[in-house]
Amino acid sequence: MLSTVVAYSQMPITSDSQCSNDIYTCSEDNKPVSVEKYAPYRHIVSTPVLPDSADVRMHEHKAFWRAGAETVGFNIGLWAFDRYVLKGHYAYISWNTIKENFRHGFEWDDDHLHTNMFDHPYNGSIFFNAGRSNGFNFWQSELFAIGGSAMWEMFMECEYPSTNDIIATPIGGAALGEVLYRTSDLILDDRSTGGERFGREFAAFLVDPMKGINRIVTGAAWKKRTTSGRRFGIPPITGVF
């Protein structure tokens, strides 16, 4: 049953402490004056549903080689796009550039903000979800993000490996990747069929591409089951006003 609470509280706040403009109004002599403060309530907008034990067991099945191949394959695919489509100068790699990367080591780069703080974390989320969608837990999946980032920095560019990228990619990738993984889990429903099923699968693919690919590879994208297939069920979803 969907339950929604619509309420707010109206409480006068007084204090003898030092006046603070973000909590109280102040008189000319800088003394706190009683004001009415609205305290927000947390509104429950969905009833939590625990995951089915069969769904939990299904998601705990680990496929290490598939996760590893997807991590490596994504790097190779991205490098090929950069090299042959974008023709980026950094993508012209050779054995000499790889040896030079190991010889020189890491340095701080000055790439654009969106490159360092969005593009790299998003790439990290792909590596992370290669592990997450193949049965690994949060911390185990982080190892795929670290490995994918290290492979890119050391092998896939002719620029020296970046200190800030090797930090932002796995850490940002785990933070963003887990959000995308859990959001896609909410979207999917293995009991659905027809147009609804296609819409759910397509939306989940856009949110978490690596999970979408794995569902196609394993056949889960079209397999009808008696349970929802959600790893986390429906968590408590609330809104605060």
Side-chain angles (χ1 to χ4, degrees):
M1 178 179 178
L2 207 65
S3 61
T4 304
V5 180
V6 181
Y8 63 85
S9 67
Q10 187 174 346
M11 301 182 300
I13 298 177
T14 58
S15 174
D16 294 329
S17 61
Q18 184 70 25
C19 180
S20 173
N21 285 324
D22 61 343
I23 299 177
Y24 309 105
T25 58
C26 301
S27 61
E28 291 182 357
D29 57 354
N30 202 38
K31 296 293 185 181
V33 177
S34 174
V35 297
E36 291 182 340
K37 182 78 172 178
Y38 290 93
Y41 274 82
R42 185 177 296 273
H43 307 294
I44 300 174
V45 297
S46 70
T47 302
V49 177
L50 292 175
D52 191 281
S53 59
D55 294 333
V56 174
R57 287 194 302 271
M58 177 182 69
H59 285 284
E60 288 177 345
H61 176 71
K62 296 178 174 61
F64 173 79
W65 294 111
R66 185 167 62 226
E70 288 169 351
T71 301
V72 173
F74 176 79
N75 269 336
I76 294 174
L78 182 60
W79 165 80
F81 179 81
D82 290 346
R83 167 65 176 82
Y84 297 106
V85 178
L86 298 183
K87 299 189 183 301
H89 68 278
Y90 52 86
Y92 286 77
I93 60 175
S94 66
W95 288 113
N96 288 331
T97 64
I98 294 171
K99 288 190 291 185
E100 185 63 19
N101 284 345
F102 279 93
R103 186 196 67 79
H104 182 275
F106 286 84
E107 66 178 20
W108 200 266
D109 76 36
D110 58 353
D111 289 344
H112 292 126
L113 181 66
H114 74 83
T115 301
N116 281 339
M117 302 311 294
F118 177 77
D119 293 351
H120 282 286
Y122 185 76
N123 282 356
S125 75
I126 298 293
F127 303 140
F128 176 87
N129 280 326
R132 204 72 169 99
S133 60
N134 277 300
F136 294 91
N137 65 29
F138 180 91
W139 294 110
Q140 292 166 341
S141 300
E142 175 71 328
L143 297 178
F144 288 94
I146 295 171
S149 179
M151 176 186 171
W152 181 266
E153 295 298 325
M154 303 307 298
F155 294 92
M156 311 309 292
E157 290 184 314
C158 61
E159 295 178 343
Y160 294 136
S162 166
T163 303
N164 34 332
D165 290 348
I166 200 69
I167 296 172
T169 302
I171 295 178
L176 182 60
E178 184 70 6
V179 171
L180 299 179
Y181 178 74
R182 289 176 180 250
T183 301
S184 66
D185 190 67
L186 272 176
I187 296 171
L188 294 167
D189 189 344
D190 289 349
R191 297 166 298 187
S192 60
T193 57
E196 179 189 350
R197 181 62 176 268
F198 177 81
R200 287 179 179 273
E201 295 290 338
F202 183 70
F205 181 90
L206 294 179
V207 171
D208 185 352
M210 192 57 76
K211 185 174 184 178
I213 290 172
N214 277 312
R215 285 182 65 83
I216 293 172
V217 168
T218 61
W222 49 81
K223 183 177 180 180
K224 189 176 186 298
R225 304 173 66 248
T226 56
T227 57
S228 68
R230 295 189 179 108
R231 170 65 179 84
F232 303 101
I234 300 179
I237 301 172
T238 61
V240 178
F241 299 91

